[in-house]
Amino acid sequence: MTRGNCRARFSVLGPLEVADRGEIISIPAAKQRIILATLLLRPNQFVSVDELIERMWDGDEPAPGRGAVHTHIGRLRRTLADQGVRQFIQTRELGYIAEFAADELDLMRHRHLVDLAATERKEGRAAEEADALAAALALWRPTPLSNVRSHLLHAIDVPLLVEERLRTLERWGELALRLGRYDEMITQMKAALMDNPTRERLTAQLMLALSRSGRQAEALEAYKIVVELLREELGVEPGAELRETYLLVLRQDARAGPEPRVTSSGTEHAERPDEVRSLSGEMAKLLQLLTELTPTPAEVPAVPHAFTGRSAPLQRVHALLTAERRRGVIAITGAGGVGKSALAIRAAHRAAEHFPDGSIYVDLGGSTLDSHPATVRYALGRILRSLGVNPSTIPSDVEEAAGRLRSLTSGKRLLLVLDNASHPAQVHPLLPAGPGSRVLITSRRAFTSLDVSAVERLDPLLLSEAVAMLRTLIGARRADSDLDALTQIAHLCECLPLALRVAARRLAARPNLPVRALAAQLGDERQRLPMLSDDDGGGVRSMLMVSYRALDSVADGVVATRLLRLLAVRDLTSTDPSVAASLAGLTEQEAQLALDQLAGAHLVEVASAGLYRLPALVRLFARELAHEVTGFDTPALACHG
């Protein structure tokens, strides 16, 4: 049935639905529902074809190409058009945008009401803020997108959606407590805890509402239940907020006991409930614990502007950080400039709520040119100070300081981000004790000698992601003026986030420079490295120099770096041990070892079994070095230098 040009309403805060005047419009095809859900979760935002492919085929290989996505988009458009729904999916280069007005999508209505609540908050109108948040919460229905079959969608997108609801609920809970809306609050919190039983803030708010309603026994029982769940399912103790709430309930329970009375002998005494009396020893211990609490560290830097893509590795790292297992050490490895730190920072922020004892960030300095990596003593001091240890009492002995760290972190749920680690010996003494803590390491090296639970190897961005990143960095209008040139820039930067950011800064510094002009400059191999290196010595050249010097400073690495220069001046884009041996005057076994060392330093890539690829930026860098070493820039002379 054709309805004419209906004004459909779309819903994602429950099962996916498209409705016209209360009548559901059917979308029977599973792939079309995945596409629609993915676009609805990002209203009025660019969604790349690659991201749609990931959601539709759950990252499995081989997945169909872009043509399959275009086919399914076309079918979805026809399905909706046959029902009279207006055309809202707009095609863009390398992706799509779903354009909606605020009243057409429940997610946008929810966010509009939350924004309205924020305005009321600024004006000091607590009741109006609470009403706006309550209206936003009323839009939610059970199990978002339960009728959309996509593992990645439910592993990555739906948890973020649920988190948005929980944060709204927690803010409403703060206001409901202040306004005395205890009955309404108890109902809401109990329902939310059915699906999120270890959400400590919800439990704390429920306890306060129960206690203020004269239901202290129920409040204490709620605490008992969540503590058992945390210990049995996660192997951790409750966080500071929940412990403090427990004490508040206990104090109120004691105050609520009978008033002191005068006995027949004239002496006065107070009767206290047996439960409070039996808990008095535990309360004293908890009070002592609270007096020792220090401000919870939250040191992870802000997520870099224009963080793009990485949905699959981000989900994997998040799952590792939040898994119910004993102590976890997760390493993110990859070439310099590939975005390891950005991914670690994003993952740390996303997992922050799982670590109520805080997050500590330390840059170990393993990727900074012309500076020494941080010493173990410095890093230990840095972490201990963050945990509240007086600097004057930090042991000078490394082993003793490491022991102090383990003592302080035993039983805590702490996230430690060790960025730019240079070698395992730098990291091992910094590892906290206890099953609830996690350590996230970034390094160019694979730490095979460290007890690492999992390693996430990071590759350059997909081309579509690199273009999207540039588009965000330089602005949509300028980017869309010449998407072909922007794509060329992304390709010449080899989709390395570091190179992309330097290129974007070049464009930002010269707002009248056409995008195509920068693409032409980068297309000239003589200008590419200088253009992708900052004036202060940073950028791609500096990044490659760190890896090169680390390899060149060891005895066996000298052979590897010499081979790298020879490959570059011969303009070889790939090689194998046989060719490398002939070129450098080595045995095949020696050449194999040198190539493996270069691969370990991310200066060559393992293309396939026995074949190694020399990335263009590395080739240009090594050619510059060959010229400096030999004084010549011709392949023949440089090879004999």
Side-chain angles (χ1 to χ4, degrees):
M1 177 181 67
T2 300
R3 296 174 171 77
N5 191 22
C6 72
R7 193 112 185 271
R9 297 293 184 269
F10 298 81
S11 300
V12 293
L13 304 183
L16 176 68
E17 285 184 0
V18 184
D20 174 26
R21 291 180 289 272
E23 183 176 348
I24 302 299
I25 296 174
S26 174
I27 305 174
K31 289 288 190 280
Q32 292 178 29
R33 287 200 299 274
I34 295 171
I35 289 174
L36 181 58
T38 304
L39 292 172
L40 292 177
L41 289 173
R42 296 161 182 77
N44 303 318
Q45 298 178 37
F46 175 80
V47 179
S48 71
V49 172
D50 291 318
E51 189 171 358
L52 290 171
I53 289 174
E54 279 189 336
R55 299 303 189 275
M56 294 166 71
W57 284 277
D58 282 329
D60 292 337
E61 293 293 345
R66 298 167 181 268
V69 176
H70 299 321
T71 298
H72 284 290
I73 288 279
R75 292 172 180 170
L76 174 61
R77 283 169 166 160
R78 287 194 296 274
T79 297
L80 294 171
D82 289 345
Q83 303 293 324
V85 178
R86 70 173 181 83
Q87 177 56 257
F88 62 89
I89 303 175
Q90 306 301 325
T91 302
R92 296 291 185 269
E93 184 74 20
L94 305 175
Y96 300 90
I97 292 178
E99 296 181 342
F100 292 105
D103 63 339
E104 293 179 301
L105 176 62
D106 58 356
L107 177 58
M108 294 180 69
R109 293 199 298 277
H110 167 81
R111 290 172 177 169
H112 171 73
L113 288 165
V114 171
D115 290 341
L116 178 62
T119 300
E120 300 289 2
R121 184 178 188 175
K122 291 178 181 177
E123 298 296 328
R125 293 191 287 262
E128 289 79 0
E129 180 188 357
D131 291 341
L133 292 176
L137 291 167
L139 296 171
W140 291 79
R141 295 165 294 140
T143 319
L145 302 177
S146 57
N147 57 344
V148 180
R149 294 196 301 271
S150 167
H151 171 74
L152 279 182
L153 196 75
H154 287 278
I156 298 174
D157 302 292
V158 171
L160 295 176
L161 201 62
V162 171
E163 176 64 23
E164 194 168 343
R165 174 182 180 269
L166 291 175
R167 291 188 183 279
T168 303
L169 178 60
E170 288 168 349
R171 174 56 189 162
W172 174 83
E174 294 176 16
L175 294 164
L177 282 171
R178 189 190 310 173
L179 297 168
R181 300 178 182 179
Y182 302 135
D183 291 341
E184 181 184 357
M185 186 178 171
I186 290 168
T187 301
Q188 284 269 27
M189 296 306 171
K190 283 187 173 181
L193 284 166
M194 292 292 290
D195 295 322
N196 307 274
T198 59
R199 186 84 174 194
E200 294 187 32
R201 177 158 293 179
L202 293 181
T203 301
Q205 291 177 334
L206 173 62
M207 289 172 64
L208 290 172
L210 288 167
S211 177
R212 294 175 188 179
S213 300
R215 299 158 65 177
Q216 279 81 8
E218 288 183 60
L220 293 171
E221 181 64 20
Y223 178 80
K224 179 182 177 182
I225 290 171
V226 74
V227 168
E228 289 178 354
L229 282 171
L230 290 169
R231 289 171 178 168
E232 292 175 7
E233 297 188 11
L234 302 180
V236 297
E237 296 298 318
E241 180 182 6
L242 191 56
R243 295 195 303 265
E244 187 172 2
T245 302
Y246 174 62
L247 291 178
L248 289 173
V249 172
L250 282 178
R251 293 193 191 106
Q252 184 173 349
D253 200 13
R255 289 195 301 270
E259 291 294 323
R261 63 181 177 85
V262 180
T263 66
S264 58
S265 62
T267 59
E268 190 177 64
H269 71 276
E271 291 183 353
R272 299 179 62 196
D274 291 341
E275 182 179 26
V276 174
R277 187 164 53 249
S278 67
L279 288 171
S280 60
E282 182 179 355
M283 180 178 177
K285 292 178 182 178
L286 286 170
L287 281 169
Q288 177 63 28
L289 177 63
L290 284 175
T291 62
E292 298 172 358
L293 288 176
T294 58
T296 303
E299 300 177 354
V300 178
V303 179
H305 174 56
F307 179 86
T308 305
R310 303 301 195 196
S311 57
L314 179 60
Q315 172 58 24
R316 288 192 292 268
V317 173
H318 179 77
L320 290 165
L321 288 174
T322 59
E324 299 174 10
R325 62 175 69 183
R326 295 191 67 79
R327 186 189 70 177
V329 180
I330 301 101
I332 301 175
T333 69
V338 79
K340 301 181 293 297
S341 297
L343 177 65
I345 289 169
R346 178 67 183 88
H349 280 289
R350 183 174 173 184
E353 70 169 28
H354 294 270
F355 301 97
D357 293 307
S359 55
I360 296 175
Y361 173 90
V362 183
D363 186 349
L364 296 177
S367 62
T368 305
L369 188 63
D370 296 328
S371 68
H372 296 291
T375 64
V376 174
R377 179 181 297 177
Y378 164 82
L380 280 169
R382 171 77 174 72
I383 296 169
L384 289 171
R385 287 193 298 274
S386 296
L387 291 172
V389 177
N390 189 314
S392 64
T393 66
I394 294 175
S396 57
D397 179 76
V398 168
E399 186 175 346
E400 186 179 351
R404 178 77 63 85
L405 171 62
R406 291 190 292 271
S407 297
L408 288 172
T409 55
S410 178
K412 285 186 178 292
R413 294 164 63 186
L414 179 76
L415 175 60
L416 178 59
V417 181
L418 301 176
D419 202 5
N420 297 315
S422 60
H423 49 81
Q426 186 189 30
V427 170
H428 190 270
L430 311 180
L431 302 183
S437 293
R438 297 289 183 270
V439 181
L440 186 56
I441 303 168
T442 72
S443 178
R444 301 187 188 190
R445 300 179 57 178
F447 286 173
T448 55
S449 62
L450 198 67
D451 184 17
V452 175
S453 304
V455 176
E456 179 67 33
R457 181 185 172 89
L458 205 58
D459 294 319
L461 295 169
L462 299 173
L463 182 60
S464 60
E465 293 173 336
V467 172
M469 181 177 179
L470 284 172
R471 189 173 185 271
T472 302
L473 287 168
I474 70 172
R477 180 176 298 179
R478 192 175 185 189
D480 293 345
S481 68
D482 198 338
L483 276 175
D484 289 340
L486 203 69
T487 303
Q488 185 183 359
I489 291 173
H491 175 72
L492 292 169
C493 290
E494 298 189 311
C495 298
L496 278 173
L498 174 64
L500 295 168
R501 290 185 183 278
V502 176
R505 285 199 291 269
R506 294 283 181 190
L507 288 170
R510 301 175 63 186
N512 296 323
L513 180 71
V515 176
R516 187 165 296 276
L518 179 62
Q521 290 175 321
L522 293 175
D524 183 346
E525 289 192 344
R526 294 170 300 180
Q527 297 189 61
R528 192 176 311 164
L529 266 185
M531 293 298 297
L532 295 179
S533 299
D534 289 337
D535 295 334
D536 60 2
V540 172
R541 186 186 281 120
S542 175
M543 173 268 294
L544 291 171
M545 185 62 78
V546 172
S547 297
Y548 179 87
R549 285 183 180 175
L551 195 57
D552 197 44
S553 62
V554 297
D556 292 340
V558 173
V559 176
T561 54
R562 176 176 175 271
L563 174 60
L564 180 70
R565 298 194 301 270
L566 293 173
L567 294 171
V569 294
R570 282 291 178 90
D571 233 7
L572 295 179
T573 58
S574 62
T575 189
D576 59 29
S578 175
V579 173
S582 175
L583 179 65
L586 304 170
T587 66
E588 283 199 29
Q589 185 177 5
E590 291 170 333
Q592 178 73 66
L593 176 61
L595 288 168
D596 287 342
Q597 287 179 312
L598 290 171
H602 303 285
L603 293 171
V604 299
E605 298 172 353
V606 181
S608 61
L611 187 65
Y612 297 81
R613 190 181 79 86
L614 189 64
L617 291 174
V618 175
R619 179 169 48 83
L620 296 175
F621 168 76
R623 190 188 296 169
E624 282 187 359
L625 291 174
H627 175 63
E628 293 175 7
V629 170
T630 64
F632 301 101
D633 58 2
T634 62
L637 290 174
C639 285
H640 293 288

